[in-house]
Amino acid sequence: MPQRSLKPVPQLVSILLLAALSVALWAAWLGWDQHRDVHPDGSTTGPYEAWQVIGLVLTLLPPVCWAVSRHYVAGAVAGTTAGLTIAACYDWSDDSSGLFMVGVVLVMMGSLAVTAVVSAIASAIRRRDRPAGR
């Protein structure tokens, strides 16, 4: 099997583009909702609803799969993870408890794990669908 040489400029561009897209999608889905819901018993939830997080994940899937289909796996994984981590850090940095970094690290680890798995699956599907002899 021939080895492809990694072209650093397209890989870097894909990382930067996916990071910027991830930040923009975070802002579109989660950035506008900053209030917590207070229930009659005094408990609070939020600020995000499940549909917002699901929407973010579903709108990130096509660009990640596109990047993997173009052999930009580093861009798909590193770019998306970096973008979501930066967005979470910026969005949550005004937390008075000081525990926002715990959430940011969880976002980083979760997005890294999920984008790696999605990239592996998309890459495997692409290899399987590729015609023989290529």
Side-chain angles (χ1 to χ4, degrees):
M1 177 181 312
Q3 292 290 331
R4 294 178 187 229
S5 63
L6 289 178
K7 296 178 179 143
V9 172
Q11 288 288 342
L12 179 61
V13 169
S14 71
I15 290 170
L16 294 174
L17 285 175
L18 278 161
L21 180 64
S22 297
V23 169
L25 288 173
W26 178 288
W29 284 102
L30 306 177
W32 54 270
D33 193 358
Q34 298 298 316
H35 73 281
R36 295 192 176 274
D37 299 323
V38 179
H39 301 284
D41 64 358
S43 64
T44 60
T45 58
Y48 313 123
E49 300 291 332
W51 65 268
Q52 291 172 282
V53 177
I54 292 167
L56 173 63
V57 170
L58 291 178
T59 53
L60 279 171
L61 276 175
V64 167
C65 291
W66 178 85
V68 170
S69 74
R70 303 291 185 263
H71 300 287
Y72 301 135
V73 177
V77 176
T80 304
T81 300
L84 292 176
T85 303
I86 290 166
C89 189
Y90 177 79
D91 194 18
W92 299 341
S93 63
D94 62 349
D95 178 37
S96 61
S97 72
L99 293 175
F100 77 96
M101 281 308 292
V102 173
V104 171
V105 169
L106 290 173
V107 166
M108 180 185 65
M109 291 182 345
S111 60
L112 180 64
V114 170
T115 54
V117 168
V118 167
S119 296
I121 292 169
S123 183
I125 290 171
R126 185 178 185 283
R127 276 194 304 271
R128 185 193 69 187
D129 291 343
R130 187 174 32 190
R134 277 183 72 186

